[in-house]
Amino acid sequence: MYNHELCGLEGHFCDYLHNVEDELGECRILIVDDVETNAMALAQCLQSYSRISVCQDGQTAIQSLSHILPDILLLDIFMPGTDGFDVCRY
């Protein structure tokens, strides 16, 4: 599950993340990032206890939001074209 050494943080925040793992199992998460490495790293970290969808640009994210209603949106703000602010306004 959650590895405290990997998170690079100590104390209450890591404990909080460890305690919400069961709740994340019911979440639908949409990750939007134009840097594929970032998106895939997040998806890999969360895949064991969440339903993950990944988009690599803002326009695709907006299209996805018409049929996927995520509980959590992990959104890169600075992307070319339709940026994260545009996605938020949608």
Side-chain angles (χ1 to χ4, degrees):
M1 294 291 186
Y2 194 78
N3 185 333
H4 292 258
E5 294 173 14
L6 291 178
C7 78
L9 301 171
E10 296 180 13
H12 298 294
F13 185 69
C14 284
D15 291 338
Y16 172 78
L17 289 177
H18 181 70
N19 290 332
V20 298
E21 286 179 349
D22 291 335
E23 293 177 31
L24 285 175
E26 302 300 319
C27 287
R28 184 180 311 262
I29 299 176
L30 176 59
I31 299 169
V32 184
D33 198 318
D34 61 316
V35 179
E36 184 178 4
T37 305
N38 294 346
M40 292 301 110
L42 284 168
Q44 185 176 9
C45 288
L46 297 169
Q47 72 181 351
S48 65
Y49 41 76
S50 299
R51 293 177 286 172
I52 307 295
S53 299
V54 177
C55 296
Q56 292 186 334
D57 61 74
Q59 187 61 42
T60 305
I62 289 173
Q63 292 170 355
S64 295
L65 289 170
S66 67
H67 63 281
I68 296 172
L69 183 59
D71 298 299
I72 300 171
L73 178 60
L74 299 177
L75 178 62
D76 181 7
I77 294 298
F78 301 109
M79 296 182 289
T82 304
D83 65 16
F85 293 111
D86 295 328
V87 175
C88 287
R89 285 194 270 296
Y90 175 78

